[in-house]
Amino acid sequence: MADLVRDDNRRRIFRVTLAAVGLRVLIERAVGHLLDAHSEGFGALLPPDAASFRVGQIVRVRFKLNQLVIDGRAMVRNVCRRPDGRWRCGFAIVPTDDVLRRALRQAAIAAQRRRLQRIAGRK
């Protein structure tokens, strides 16, 4: 559920898997799915025909959470083509974008809560 990752400053942060939640995300004009989130960024899976992103590029990010449309900016950290042709991209939240950071935190908390409820048998 939560994988330990290290960022550039070597601080320890936890990444929460969001793939099972099914949150769709619009990055520029590419529609994909949020895979995971942490306090500094997120990962997304984008279709084969997604625009080619460059590391360091600032992109517009948009997704819906609890009937609210979240709109923000993130920087492309990495881009990796998967064997099935889709793109696995990592994004860092722009430091001044507190709205996006809070929304990703809320999505991670909701995903953890649902998972714990399933484990407890309360669905």
Side-chain angles (χ1 to χ4, degrees), residues 59-75:
V59 294
R60 182 176 179 201
V61 178
R62 198 168 211 197
F63 66 95
K64 194 172 184 178
L65 179 66
N66 299 330
Q67 307 306 319
L68 293 174
V69 175
I70 308 301
D71 199 356
R73 295 181 311 136
M75 181 179 67

Side-chain angles (χ1 to χ4, degrees), residues 19 35 44-48 79-89:
L35 296 178
L45 187 63
L46 301 173
V79 179
C80 180
R81 189 168 190 107
R82 294 171 35 115
D84 64 3
R86 294 183 292 176
W87 297 95
R88 166 56 162 104
C89 301

Side-chain angles (χ1 to χ4, degrees), residues 113-123:
R113 184 177 297 120
R114 279 184 234 152
R115 183 169 188 272
L116 290 172
Q117 288 172 342
R118 273 196 311 272
I119 289 170
R122 297 188 315 190
K123 179 128 173 122

